[in-house]
Amino acid sequence: MKSFRAFAVRDPVIFLVTLLFWQNLSDSYLFHGIAGLLAGLCAFLFHEWGHLLGAYLSKAVVHPAPSLFSPLLFDLDSQKNNRGQFLYVSGAGFIATSLFLFVFCSVLPLDLFAGKLAIYIGLGLAALTVFIEFPIAWIVYRRHKIPRVEIFR
């Protein structure tokens, strides 16, 4: 697996900035909005790292995103991986999504605007996972053929 060191630095920095905003919430809707948006970004990145963990555990062939500004961490090489690896990578992303939703519902102050915004973003991301990623995984599970899923290559 190629190096993801730059992403492993970028994403904890984003997480720490997010924590700083949550620790210093004021009555300003601007700060609440930024905190909620950053929490949503952290949820998305957690989902992506879940996929990458699945790729690592299944020894899948992946290619890092070409830019640190990319929200996606990598491309899964659909030609060099087998069905099991694809499903492992997909499943790990689904588990990560479930975990961030659990944490959001358990920890975030949902009575605040920042908490409401974060949970709505989290639910939107989960809906995208269900309506975009799950059908692809289901097709692979049923048909045994991996479609081309590369974005950067």
Side-chain angles (χ1 to χ4, degrees), residues 16-26 30-32 34-36 38:
L16 290 174
V17 169
T18 302
L19 286 179
L20 283 173
F21 270 92
W22 279 91
Q23 289 295 317
N24 296 300
L25 282 178
S26 64
L30 177 65
F31 275 88
H32 280 256
I34 293 170
L38 285 172

